[in-house]
Amino acid sequence: MKALFVDQEKCTGCRRCELACSFFHFQTYSLSRVRLHVVRDGEIEGPIVCVQCGLCQYACPIKGAIIRNKKTGAFLVTTKCNPKECNGECVNACPYGVIHIDLKLKRAIKCDFCGGSPSCVEACPWNVIQYIDASSPYALNNKRVAEVRRRWSIERAYTKSSLEALKKV
């Protein structure tokens, strides 16, 4: 099984990965329809990608709305997805903020590895994003990427008041 590996230090912030993602899935260059996000936060910059953790599937109350592709290992959103029935619980469950409701499709969208050949990988001339064996040392030991994701997801997931409440615990 493979996973996306991100080397943040190589990223120039050009956003080609985002545009390639949008074009692959929707044949348009729209940053509102991407399945990864390039973050620019002071010294931290680089793409945040889905790690296929499956939290979206576990949070989804609609059976069969999110399934795992046996070939690629990616979690896929099916046409059974209906945000009106679940209030987008998959979006709230994602610690990386890489699943969201597409307003035109009226269902959640997330990284599906483009069927096994991620377009974001092919679009990056600096090899920032690589599609590698999930058990490789690069995939397992990238502490910097994990820290960026953790910081970014915490800032995005919680409001100021909820963070204050957490500090009291």
Side-chain angles (χ1 to χ4, degrees), residues 152-163:
W152 188 76
S153 65
I154 288 174
E155 291 169 4
R156 186 154 189 249
Y158 298 108
T159 62
K160 187 176 180 179
S161 61
S162 66
L163 284 174

Side-chain angles (χ1 to χ4, degrees), residues 74-165:
F75 287 91
L76 309 175
V77 179
T78 69
T79 55
K80 292 181 180 179
C81 174
N82 184 352
K84 289 181 182 176
E85 293 181 23
C86 67
N87 294 320
E89 292 181 30
C90 58
V91 174
N92 296 329
C94 180
Y96 307 109
V98 290
I99 184 169
H100 62 94
I101 306 298
D102 185 87
L103 298 177
K104 290 185 180 177
L105 290 178
K106 297 184 175 149
R107 64 180 168 97
I109 61 171
K110 64 171 290 305
C111 176
D112 58 3
F113 292 152
C114 301
S117 181
S119 59
C120 56
V121 173
E122 296 173 12
C124 182
W126 297 276
N127 295 321
V128 172
I129 306 173
Q130 298 172 37
Y131 190 51
I132 61 174
D133 185 351
S135 63
S136 83
Y138 292 112
L140 297 174
N141 296 322
N142 194 345
K143 293 179 182 176
R144 185 166 187 270
V145 172
E147 177 60 19
V148 169
R149 287 180 177 153
R150 187 191 66 77
R151 287 179 48 196
W152 188 76
S153 65
I154 288 174
E155 291 169 4
R156 186 154 189 249
Y158 298 108
T159 62
K160 187 176 180 179
S161 61
S162 66
L163 284 174
E164 292 299 320

